[in-house]
Amino acid sequence: MTQDDRPENVASRSEADTAATERKRPSQDERRAAILAAAFEVFADHGFAAARLEDVARKAGVAKGTLYLYFPDKEALFEQLLLSFANPLLSRINAIAVLPDVPAPVILERIIALFQTEIIGTEREKMLQLLISEGPRFPRIAEFHHREVVSRGLSAIRAVAKRGFERGELSSDALVKCPQLFFWPLLGVVIWRSLFGRLDPLDDATAIDAHRDLLGLIKKEKPE
C-alpha cells in the first residue's frame, strides 16, 4: 500500500472532491437567475405563445422537472421575468418619488431620465415590446403587469404630482387626475422604435424633451 492509498488519505481526498463539487453546484438563486435569463432569450426569439419550457430548460442547462420546481407554468415564468426587469426600476422610482425636500418637477425629470437610461436601448425595452405585443392576447399577463408594475408606477407619479400641485410647483393638476399622461409618450417611443424604427428612426432624445415641455414640468410665471 502506498502512502496515497492509506485510508486517512483516501478519506481526505474524498472530502476534498465533495467540497469541490459543492462549490461548483449552483445555488438556488443562481439556478433561478439562469432560468430567467434563458427564458428571456426564448421569449424574445419566439414570443410567448410559441415559447416552449423545454427550450428554456435546455438553454438554462437544467432538467425540465427542475424548472417546474421554480415556476409552475409558462405564465408564472413570464410574470416573474417581468418582475425581474421591473422591480429594480420601480424601487429606484419609488425612492426618488418620496424625497421630501426635492421639488416635484425635479423628481419627475429624474424619473424621465431614468426611463431614458434604464429602458431605451436595453433589454428592458425588448421586454416591454414583448409585453405590448403579447399582452392583448393573454389577459392574465396584462392583468398581472398592471397590478404589479403599472399601478405602482402610477401611484408614485400621482403622489408626486399631488404634492407638487399643492405646493405650487406644478401649474396643473393634470397628472394627479391622469398620471397615465406621464407614461404614454414614453411608451410611444418604445412602440415607434419597435414598429417603425428601421423605416423611420425616431430622435428619442428630442421626442422625450418635447414630452417634458408638453407636461409643463417647469411652472410658468403668471402674467402681471
Side-chain angles (χ1 to χ4, degrees), residues 187-207:
L187 290 175
V189 169
V190 172
I191 293 170
W192 185 274
R193 284 165 56 91
S194 176
L195 291 176
F196 309 118
R198 180 176 58 85
L199 304 172
D200 188 4
L202 179 68
D203 184 339
D204 307 329
T206 298

Side-chain angles (χ1 to χ4, degrees), residues 32-45:
R32 186 178 189 276
I35 293 171
L36 288 173
F40 174 73
E41 293 186 29
V42 173
F43 285 132
D45 289 342

Side-chain angles (χ1 to χ4, degrees), residues 2-123:
T2 65
Q3 184 175 358
D4 289 342
D5 291 332
R6 290 177 181 176
E8 60 271 21
N9 291 332
V10 172
S12 177
R13 287 201 306 272
S14 178
E15 290 173 1
D17 291 343
T18 300
T21 300
E22 291 294 331
R23 285 195 298 271
K24 293 178 182 177
R25 185 177 300 162
S27 67
Q28 289 187 350
D29 288 344
E30 290 170 337
R31 189 175 287 116
R32 186 178 189 276
I35 293 171
L36 288 173
F40 174 73
E41 293 186 29
V42 173
F43 285 132
D45 289 342
H46 302 289
F48 178 80
R52 301 189 311 161
L53 293 182
E54 295 91 335
D55 295 334
V56 175
R58 182 168 56 252
K59 189 174 286 289
V62 301
K64 186 177 178 181
T66 299
L67 188 151
Y68 283 117
L69 295 176
Y70 293 85
F71 308 100
D73 54 38
K74 188 163 67 170
E75 286 83 0
L77 175 58
F78 193 86
E79 289 166 358
Q80 292 305 307
L81 181 62
L82 283 172
L83 290 183
S84 74
F85 280 102
N87 275 345
L89 192 57
L90 279 173
S91 295
R92 294 178 66 181
I93 289 173
N94 287 331
I96 295 170
V98 298
L99 293 173
D101 300 322
V102 179
V106 175
I107 289 176
L108 296 174
E109 284 275 4
R110 290 182 183 178
I111 295 174
I112 289 175
L114 201 60
F115 184 94
Q116 287 180 279
T117 58
E118 298 297 327
I119 295 181
I120 299 298
T122 72
E123 288 187 344

